[in-house]
Amino acid sequence: MARTPAPTALWPAPHASGAVDATVHVPGSKSVTNRALVLASLASEPGWLRRPLRSRDTLLMADALRAMGIEIEEGVGPDGTGEAWRVLPAGLRGPATVDVGNAGTVMRFLPPVATLADGPVHFDGDPRSHERPLHGVIDALRALGARIDDDGRGALPLTVHGVGALDGGPVEVDASSSSQFVSALLLSGPRFNQGVEVRHTGSTLPSLPHIQMTVDMLRAVGAQVDTPESGGEPGVWRVTPGALLGRDLTVEPDLSNAQPFLAAALVTGGRVVVPDWPARTTQPGDRLREIFTEMGGSCRLTDYGLEFTGSGAVHGIDVDLGDVGELTPGIAAVAALADSPSTLRGVAHLRLHETDRLAALTKEINELGGDVTETADGLRIRPRPLHGGVFHTYEDHRMATAGAVIGLAVEGVRIENVATTAKTLPDFPDLWTAMLGAA
């Protein structure tokens, strides 16, 4: 069961007095930013990262890579416009200490990088990070020849004893609890002497779009990757050893972080425009167009971005979110305000995210008068009239934004520790109130 944290400052969630009508510039994707930082650090030449996300998770990633000898310069792009980071790859070194915070991408993507360092790299983070599964990466790296000290926990804290190289080759991993186990090995695979062949052995594999994002970004920097989708063996990904190219990459807006703003249009019967929504993307958040349309909205993708409009009615939904689990908190918040029941399936792995998201959503929505029950792999939500109260976040950014969505329709909702949104969406309270101010 999710634990209620000690009380901290409460943020009165703004209540919408009418239909929202706003344009919201959503910051860059965390998933793309952190993958790009890893790949640029492993490249054979400098690269540029334009419009990177500056949030707790991405700054933790940048600082961790700097600790291992990578130079990351923050400034403007090569054409003198827009924020950009220049990544200057160098020989990875230890000893180093890495603070992962509670960032899954940092705690899982960087131990394979650390095997390439010349010296030990120690990893630790927030108390919750010690509870999140890491065994898939640890066991796989050991099978590939790495020495890792974790006192048998299969979790943080741990030390990777880098020797400047890793043989690599074939390895089996059960990624049922996180697709990041696969992405972690693929990202560093080109630098392993034999590359890497990752064979998933589990019965389920959540968040496949994130693996496809990893594959696409590897190919964009010159890596050769064979996948099940490209005619390879089912459940097997192969990366050939070779040099990675430095690139000039522009980071897409974080479509999952666009969710609360699109939900605002749906819940209030209003309209929200998100500029620069990509026509083609591997981001899981792109499925919001389909899901929120089924729940009562409509959308139009233009050269400028995505225009999403609510109809004034919110409908329940029966949906498998296995590939897009990170969208579950926001969808659950909208479902609690719908005119019919919802069933959210395929997300048992959310019990191992920043918090036990299924338990946390059940507890917090029910304490506002809702009727949510956990199932083996998701949630069943029966709408009821909700009332105000404290909505706890459990230091989980997506719990905070879910509470804000409910607050649009329910007066008196107060969000505990809304500052946790800085993990991936800096300045969320200001963006939220500015959106409502435009109504």
Side-chain angles (χ1 to χ4, degrees):
M1 178 65 188
R3 300 188 300 273
T4 301
T8 60
L10 300 178
W11 181 65
H15 183 259
S17 57
V20 167
D21 188 359
T23 296
V24 180
H25 291 268
V26 177
S29 165
K30 175 208 74 173
S31 298
V32 172
T33 299
N34 275 358
R35 282 167 173 78
L37 283 170
V38 171
L39 291 172
S41 298
L42 296 175
S44 58
E45 56 193 356
W48 288 94
L49 188 56
R50 299 175 188 255
R51 291 170 54 182
L53 174 66
R54 288 184 57 87
S55 72
R56 188 186 186 214
D57 278 18
T58 60
L59 294 176
L60 284 167
M61 179 67 84
D63 286 344
L65 291 165
R66 288 184 179 114
M68 287 189 277
I70 304 300
E71 187 174 348
I72 302 173
E73 300 174 345
E74 301 183 32
V76 297
D79 56 2
T81 62
E83 183 175 6
W85 293 350
R86 188 169 186 241
V87 182
L88 302 169
L92 294 160
R93 65 172 185 262
T97 299
V98 169
D99 176 11
V100 309
N102 192 18
T105 51
V106 181
M107 71 179 73
R108 292 167 182 151
F109 292 177
L110 290 190
V113 175
T115 66
L116 304 171
D118 185 12
V121 181
H122 182 69
F123 292 84
D124 204 351
D126 298 351
R128 170 62 180 173
S129 73
H130 296 183
E131 303 172 18
R132 300 185 68 182
L134 199 53
H135 54 86
V137 173
I138 295 171
D139 293 346
L141 290 176
R142 283 187 177 136
L144 294 172
R147 178 185 161 207
I148 300 175
D149 293 337
D150 69 333
D151 293 333
R153 288 182 299 270
L156 294 170
L158 61 85
T159 300
V160 178
H161 295 273
V163 294
L166 192 70
D167 282 343
V171 67
E172 294 185 346
V173 59
D174 183 350
S176 301
S177 58
S178 177
S179 69
Q180 289 177 353
F181 295 167
V182 175
S183 287
L185 297 166
L186 298 182
L187 287 167
S188 292
R191 288 286 304 273
F192 298 162
N193 294 338
Q194 301 175 39
V196 72
E197 176 186 288
V198 182
R199 183 178 299 271
H200 169 57
T201 60
S203 57
T204 62
L205 183 57
S207 303
L208 269 171
H210 276 130
I211 296 179
Q212 189 59 50
M213 176 187 293
T214 299
V215 169
D216 285 0
M217 293 184 68
L218 276 162
R219 287 172 173 162
V221 295
Q224 181 180 330
V225 188
D226 295 325
T227 71
E229 294 76 20
S230 60
E233 188 178 348
V236 179
W237 292 262
R238 295 183 180 90
V239 180
T240 301
L244 299 180
L245 306 173
R247 291 297 197 200
D248 186 335
L249 172 71
T250 299
V251 179
E252 299 173 352
D254 193 313
L255 307 188
S256 294
N257 277 340
Q259 181 181 37
F261 304 102
L262 302 183
L266 184 56
V267 167
T268 68
R271 170 182 169 273
V272 165
V273 175
V274 178
D276 302 318
W277 193 288
R280 178 190 175 277
T281 180
T282 52
Q283 288 193 61
D286 194 45
R287 267 201 68 196
L288 288 168
R289 293 191 288 159
E290 168 197 337
I291 293 168
F292 277 173
T293 295
E294 187 174 343
M295 297 186 81
S298 61
C299 64
R300 186 168 66 99
L301 189 59
T302 69
D303 290 342
Y304 181 70
L306 181 73
E307 178 183 337
F308 185 83
T309 305
S311 63
V314 181
H315 309 310
I317 192 171
D318 185 332
V319 62
D320 187 328
L321 299 174
D323 282 348
V324 293
E326 65 196 54
L327 304 180
T328 302
I331 293 170
V334 173
L337 304 170
D339 57 15
S340 57
S342 294
T343 300
L344 313 184
R345 296 177 282 106
V347 288
H349 61 286
L350 294 190
R351 294 186 170 98
L352 301 170
H353 275 222
E354 280 81 346
T355 187
D356 179 341
R357 284 179 171 166
L358 300 184
L361 287 164
T362 300
K363 179 176 184 294
E364 298 309 313
I365 295 174
N366 286 351
E367 289 194 353
L368 299 182
D371 182 3
V372 182
T373 54
E374 284 191 61
T375 64
D377 71 338
L379 299 173
R380 188 168 291 115
I381 303 169
R382 301 175 184 85
R384 282 185 175 178
L386 302 181
H387 55 72
V390 175
F391 194 94
H392 297 96
T393 63
Y394 309 87
E395 299 183 4
D396 185 334
H397 55 133
R398 301 208 191 279
M399 286 295 296
T401 54
V405 169
I406 292 174
L408 291 173
V410 180
E411 292 193 64
V413 173
R414 293 170 293 157
I415 310 295
E416 172 265 337
N417 190 20
V418 73
T420 194
T421 53
K423 184 177 193 293
T424 63
L425 186 53
D427 305 321
F428 169 74
D430 290 341
L431 287 169
W432 196 246
T433 53
M435 173 192 69
L436 293 170

